Coordinates of all heavy atoms in Angstrom, one line a residue:
L124 N 50.3 31.9 -33.2 CA 51.3 32.0 -32.1 C 50.8 31.2 -30.9 O 51.7 30.7 -30.1 CB 51.5 33.5 -31.7 CG 52.6 33.8 -30.6 CD1 53.9 33.3 -31.0 CD2 52.5 35.3 -30.3
H125 N 49.6 31.2 -30.7 CA 49.0 30.5 -29.5 C 48.5 29.1 -29.8 O 47.7 28.6 -29.0 CB 47.9 31.3 -28.8 CG 48.4 32.6 -28.4 ND1 49.5 32.8 -27.6 CD2 48.0 34.0 -28.6 CE1 49.7 34.1 -27.3 NE2 48.8 34.8 -28.0
S126 N 48.9 28.5 -30.8 CA 48.4 27.2 -31.2 C 48.7 26.1 -30.1 O 47.8 25.2 -29.9 CB 49.0 26.7 -32.5 OG 50.4 26.6 -32.5
P127 N 49.8 26.2 -29.3 CA 49.9 25.2 -28.2 C 48.8 25.2 -27.2 O 48.3 24.2 -26.8 CB 51.2 25.6 -27.6 CG 52.0 26.2 -28.7 CD 51.0 27.0 -29.5
H128 N 48.3 26.4 -26.9 CA 47.1 26.5 -26.0 C 45.9 25.9 -26.6 O 45.2 25.2 -26.0 CB 46.9 28.0 -25.7 CG 45.9 28.2 -24.6 ND1 45.7 29.4 -24.0 CD2 44.9 27.4 -24.2 CE1 44.7 29.4 -23.2 NE2 44.2 28.2 -23.2
V129 N 45.7 26.2 -27.9 CA 44.6 25.6 -28.6 C 44.6 24.1 -28.5 O 43.6 23.4 -28.1 CB 44.5 26.1 -30.1 CG1 43.4 25.3 -30.8 CG2 44.3 27.5 -30.1
H130 N 45.8 23.5 -28.8 CA 45.8 22.0 -28.8 C 45.8 21.4 -27.4 O 45.3 20.3 -27.2 CB 47.1 21.6 -29.6 CG 47.0 21.7 -31.0 ND1 46.4 20.8 -31.8 CD2 47.3 22.7 -31.9 CE1 46.4 21.2 -33.1 NE2 46.9 22.3 -33.1
E131 N 46.2 22.2 -26.4 CA 46.1 21.7 -25.0 C 44.7 21.6 -24.6 O 44.2 20.6 -23.9 CB 46.9 22.6 -24.0 CG 48.4 22.4 -24.1 CD 49.1 23.5 -23.4 OE1 48.5 24.5 -23.0 OE2 50.4 23.4 -23.3
E132 N 43.8 22.6 -25.1 CA 42.4 22.5 -24.7 C 41.7 21.4 -25.6 O 40.7 20.9 -25.2 CB 41.8 23.9 -24.9 CG 42.3 24.8 -23.8 CD 41.3 26.0 -23.5 OE1 40.3 26.1 -24.3 OE2 41.5 26.7 -22.5
I133 N 42.2 21.2 -26.8 CA 41.6 20.1 -27.7 C 41.8 18.8 -26.9 O 40.9 17.9 -26.9 CB 42.2 20.1 -29.1 CG1 41.8 21.3 -29.9 CG2 42.0 18.8 -29.7 CD1 42.4 21.4 -31.3
R134 N 43.1 18.6 -26.4 CA 43.4 17.4 -25.6 C 42.4 17.2 -24.4 O 42.0 16.1 -24.1 CB 44.8 17.4 -25.1 CG 45.2 16.3 -24.3 CD 46.5 16.6 -23.5 NE 47.6 16.8 -24.5 CZ 48.4 15.8 -24.9 NH1 48.3 14.7 -24.4 NH2 49.4 16.1 -25.8
D135 N 42.0 18.4 -23.8 CA 41.2 18.2 -22.6 C 39.7 18.1 -22.8 O 38.9 17.8 -21.9 CB 41.4 19.5 -21.7 CG 42.6 19.4 -20.8 OD1 43.2 18.4 -20.8 OD2 42.9 20.4 -20.2
T136 N 39.3 18.3 -24.1 CA 37.9 18.3 -24.4 C 37.5 16.8 -24.8 O 38.0 16.2 -25.8 CB 37.6 19.2 -25.6 OG1 38.0 20.5 -25.3 CG2 36.1 19.3 -25.9
P137 N 36.6 16.2 -24.0 CA 36.3 14.7 -24.2 C 35.4 14.5 -25.4 O 34.7 15.4 -25.9 CB 35.6 14.4 -22.9 CG 35.0 15.6 -22.4 CD 35.9 16.7 -22.9
I138 N 35.6 13.3 -26.0 CA 34.6 12.6 -26.9 C 34.7 13.2 -28.3 O 34.9 12.4 -29.3 CB 33.1 12.7 -26.4 CG1 33.0 12.0 -25.1 CG2 32.2 12.1 -27.4 CD1 31.7 12.2 -24.4
I139 N 34.6 14.5 -28.6 CA 34.4 15.1 -29.9 C 35.8 15.2 -30.6 O 36.8 15.6 -30.0 CB 33.7 16.4 -29.9 CG1 34.4 17.4 -28.9 CG2 32.2 16.2 -29.6 CD1 33.7 18.8 -28.9
D140 N 35.8 14.9 -31.9 CA 37.0 15.2 -32.7 C 36.9 16.7 -33.1 O 35.9 17.3 -33.3 CB 36.9 14.4 -34.0 CG 37.0 12.9 -33.7 OD1 37.3 12.5 -32.6 OD2 36.8 12.1 -34.7
I141 N 38.2 17.3 -33.1 CA 38.2 18.8 -33.3 C 39.4 19.1 -34.3 O 40.4 18.5 -34.3 CB 38.5 19.5 -31.9 CG1 37.5 19.2 -30.9 CG2 38.7 21.0 -32.1 CD1 37.7 19.8 -29.5
A142 N 39.0 20.1 -35.1 CA 40.0 20.7 -36.0 C 40.0 22.2 -35.7 O 39.1 22.7 -35.1 CB 39.6 20.5 -37.4
A143 N 41.2 22.9 -36.0 CA 41.3 24.2 -35.7 C 41.9 25.0 -36.9 O 42.9 24.6 -37.5 CB 42.2 24.4 -34.5
M144 N 41.2 26.1 -37.2 CA 41.7 26.9 -38.4 C 42.5 28.1 -38.0 O 42.0 29.0 -37.3 CB 40.5 27.4 -39.2 CG 39.6 26.2 -39.6 SD 38.3 26.9 -40.7 CE 39.2 27.2 -42.2

Side-chain angles (χ1 to χ4, degrees):
L124 181 62
H125 299 308
S126 60
H128 185 166
V129 171
H130 285 275
E131 285 168 349
E132 292 204 351
I133 289 176
R134 176 193 296 268
D135 274 354
T136 306
I138 302 174
I139 52 175
D140 296 348
I141 300 178
M144 303 185 73

